[in-house]
């Protein structure tokens, strides 16, 4: 079930991620397809066949060319000032005008040369300190040197990308918080996991990556079908989906009470699912990207169309042609196909229900826009004893309530409400410090371990458990520190 | 049981976690005829543990009870015998994600130390991956080997007793990721590079001091690593408490209090906060930070070989 590491080459049809500095964008690799990324347009054709991790330059005509390692020739004299006491901001230090620069760009001159010209035409450059010169060059390079690295998608890259570009779609789940969830949930090959998320399928994808195609996952979904836009960006091999099941949240109660039946489903679940999916994911996606472009005209639409969507449009086009050719036959086949699809859907639903009924799942992961308490109280029923569970919430308060309700219910121990802080550093000789900005919030986690739930005498044991588990704030000892 | 596979019932030879209460637990090696002392009395392995379900409540001789839990790398980290300073789950989780580890990954690690990270790495790369871990302290290396055997994961790990700075990892062009937790990681960057696959991979170095980070970053740059990025992750734990605050007496008449901003009758306030006007207090639920928390473990520097 394994596929190669970072070694693999870029192939047509792959899901890949473009990277420029700290900015990512997920794309599918297709020939003759214009990509717009960071205000630049290009084709991916020339990238096909290269190893993932290769850095490319954008040449005129939108072609990609692997970047050659060039010796830095920027400051041959290495002249520099010691302080800025004589540097005056008169706005005239740069002798090149906006029009000059635009002309250079229009001529198709390489970014590297533009940077060199900017340096040569800066009257204050030589008076700047060595550090300031360094900073100046870096800033200009970032602006004029169009280099793009194509990397293989991973949880690391996709969770960073989503948090930066579309935090609203993943309920502001920061990547380090997601990392905590995977570890606290003991996600690994061979598990039988229950996942309930409304994070565009990012959490599902992260769980799938850690399970490597071994074991099974039951995805609980609200509405007509699960949203997996982010999941499709991972580019998982087909076998990874063989043991991925889905079950509608709206049927959980009937499953628990024993009245569940696939016959009670709406007449045509397939159609419903498609409609719902559209309103849940796709159209919403378009809407939000529209809003974003309105607010900030400079930024492009947040993300490439996911490969799955593209597949859809392509299929529809193909169908269109066929449709005209033999309408009648198609119609009959359509009805039949629909019946087969519906039958298959029922079969899959029955399988998922059977897996849940065993009540022996190896863990529960919840990361959704819904209130976590009712989800936990119901879904924990499907989890075996001595297994971890993790709930994410963007806000702390619902988790406070969830904590209290779980205590009342019993059957859980080692409950922990936590949050992580993430700080990035600039590390340069004599210039090391924390980065200027850090993320204000990446959400909260409530985690714990299930135990055998003793029904009936739960009252007395609960109060005892509560007492027993009450953490004494006086006793918080500082863990032995390194150094 | 094994550290890479769940089992339902407790068996002879298992490592189980005895859970006594909040943050109070310890590991126990389950053996026929063996007994374990707890503050709630004695646990007899043959009758109290073997054959019972993991997650069961076990009544001890004095009438008190404990829970018996299936081992996981996270529970092991909280309970393992320290032979060195160890990495905790907060750092481990970001290391695992940023190194892009998954089933099938080949990882090199040094030093092995107490095996806290090792267990988590093995869990993640199983069943088809492998961990090559290097520990220069002979006794620690031997102890780690013994633990891996006991935990049923020895087929997924190779422990080598040598100095990683001098002799490297003992493998080349094989790893998807390298992790360093040694005092002078900059001396091992070259070895790390040759341990990684020719096509590339990820590296992480953990250091408590910024001077160590500085030298490591320079060494990484000189060795041609890219995407060099240093970060720090901190865990904040909250105690869930019901807090009551007194309503100040501003000399108003009792009936006026209801207009003072506290609505005791509104059902929407129940559970989150509620005012008790008779007693003159307002109650609410709060997540209270611990009085003292870990402020720094170490800097994590990540980079890519490509």
């Amino acid at each position: 079930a394994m596929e190669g590491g970072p070694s693999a080459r870029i192939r047509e049809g792959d899901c890949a991620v473009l990277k420029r500095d700290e900015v990512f964008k997920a794309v599918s690799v297709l020939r003759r397809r214009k990509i717009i990324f960071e205000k630049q347009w290009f084709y991916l054709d020339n990238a096909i066949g290269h190893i993932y991790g290769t850095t490319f330059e954008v040449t005129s005509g939108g072609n990609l060319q692997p970047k050659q390692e060039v010796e830095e020739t920027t400051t041959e004299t290495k002249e520099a000032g010691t302080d800025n006491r004589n540097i005056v901001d008169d706005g005239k230090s740069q002798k090149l005008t906006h029009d000059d620069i635009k002309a250079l760009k229009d001529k198709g001159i390489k970014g590297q040369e533009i940077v060199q010209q900017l340096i040569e035409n800066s009257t204050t450059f030589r008076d700047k300190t060595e550090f300031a010169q360094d900073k100046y060059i870096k800033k200009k390079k970032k602006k004029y040197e169009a280099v793009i690295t194509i990397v293989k998608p991973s949880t690391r890259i996709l969770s960073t990308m989503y948090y930066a570009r579309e935090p609203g779609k993943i309920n502001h789940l920061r990547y380090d918080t997601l990392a905590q969830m995977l570890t606290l949930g003991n996600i690994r090959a061979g598990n039988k996991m229950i996942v309930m998320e409304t994070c565009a399928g990012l959490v599902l994808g992260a769980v799938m990556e850690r399970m490597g195609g071994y074991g099974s996952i039951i995805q609980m979904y609200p509405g007509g079908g699960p949203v997996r836009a982010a999941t499709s960006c991972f580019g998982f091999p087909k076998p990874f989906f063989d043991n991925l099941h889905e079950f509608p949240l709206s049927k959980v109660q009937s499953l628990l009470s024993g009245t569940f039946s696939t016959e009670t489903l709406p007449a045509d679940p397939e159609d419903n699912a498609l409609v719902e999916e559209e309103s849940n994911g796709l159209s919403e996606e378009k809407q939000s990207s529209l809003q974003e472009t309105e607010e900030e005209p400079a930024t492009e639409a947040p993300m490439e169309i996911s490969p799955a969507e593209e597949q859809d449009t392509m299929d529809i086009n193909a169908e269109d042609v066929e449709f005209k050719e033999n309408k009648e036959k198609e119609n009959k086949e359509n009805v039949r196909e629909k019946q087969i699809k519906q039958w298959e859907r029922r079969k899959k639903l029955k399988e998922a229900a059977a897996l849940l009924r065993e009540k022996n799942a190896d863990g529960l992961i919840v990361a959704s826009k819904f209130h976590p308490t009712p989800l936990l109280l119901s879904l924990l029923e499907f989890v075996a004893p001595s297994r971890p569970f993790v709930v994410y919430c963007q806000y702390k308060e619902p988790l406070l309530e969830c904590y209290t309700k779980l205590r009342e219910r019993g059957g859980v121990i080692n409950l922990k409400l936590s949050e992580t802080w993430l700080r990035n550093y600039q590390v340069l000789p004599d210039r090391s410090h924390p980065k200027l900005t850090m993320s204000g919030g990446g959400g909260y986690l409530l985690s714990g371990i299930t135990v055998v739930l003793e029904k009936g005498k739960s009252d007395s044991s609960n109060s005892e458990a509560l007492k027993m588990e009450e953490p004494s704030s006086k006793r918080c000892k500082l863990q032995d520190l390194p150094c | 049981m094994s550290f890479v596979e769940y089992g339902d019932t407790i068996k002879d030879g298992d490592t189980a976690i005895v859970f006594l209460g909040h943050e109070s637990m310890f590991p126990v090696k389950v053996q026929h005829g063996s007994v374990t002392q707890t503050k709630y009395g004695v646990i007899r392995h043959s009758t109290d543990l073997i054959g019972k379900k993991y997650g069961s409540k076990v009544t001890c001789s004095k009438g008190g009870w404990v829970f018996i839990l299936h081992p996981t790398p996270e529970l092991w980290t909280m309970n393992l015998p320290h032979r060195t300073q160890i990495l905790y789950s907060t750092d481990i989780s970001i290391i695992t994600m940023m190194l892009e580890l998954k089933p099938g990954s080949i990882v090199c690690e040094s030093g092995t130390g107490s095996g806290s990270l090792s267990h988590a790495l093995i869990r993640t790369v199983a069943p088809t991956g492998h961990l090559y871990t290097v520990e220069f302290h002979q006794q620690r290396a031997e102890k780690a080997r013994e633990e891996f055997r006991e935990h049923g994961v020895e087929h997924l790990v190779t422990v080598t007793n040598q100095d990683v700075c001098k002799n490297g990892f003992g493998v080349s062009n094989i790893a998807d990721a390298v992790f360093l937790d040694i005092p002078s990681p900059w001396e091992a960057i070259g070895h790390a590079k040759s341990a990684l696959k020719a096509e590339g991979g990820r590296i992480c170095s953990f250091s408590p001091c910024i001077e160590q980070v500085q030298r490591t970053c320079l060494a990484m740059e000189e060795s041609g690593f890219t995407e060099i990025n240093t970060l720090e992750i901190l865990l904040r734990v909250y105690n869930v408490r019901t807090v009551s605050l007194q309503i100040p007496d501003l000399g108003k008449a009792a009936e006026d209090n209801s207009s003072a901003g506290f609505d005791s009758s509104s059902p929407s306030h129940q559970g989150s906060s509620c005012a008790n006007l008779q007693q003159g207090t307002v109650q609410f639920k709060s997540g209270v930070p611990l009085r003292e928390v870990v402020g720094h473990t170490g800097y994590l520097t990540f980079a890519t070989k490509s």
Side-chain angles (χ1 to χ4, degrees), chain B residues 281-294:
Chain B
T281 60
V282 177
Q283 275 201 341
F284 60 94
K285 279 224 148 57
S286 178
V288 187
L290 306 184
R291 213 165 51 84
E292 225 174 353
V293 292
V294 173

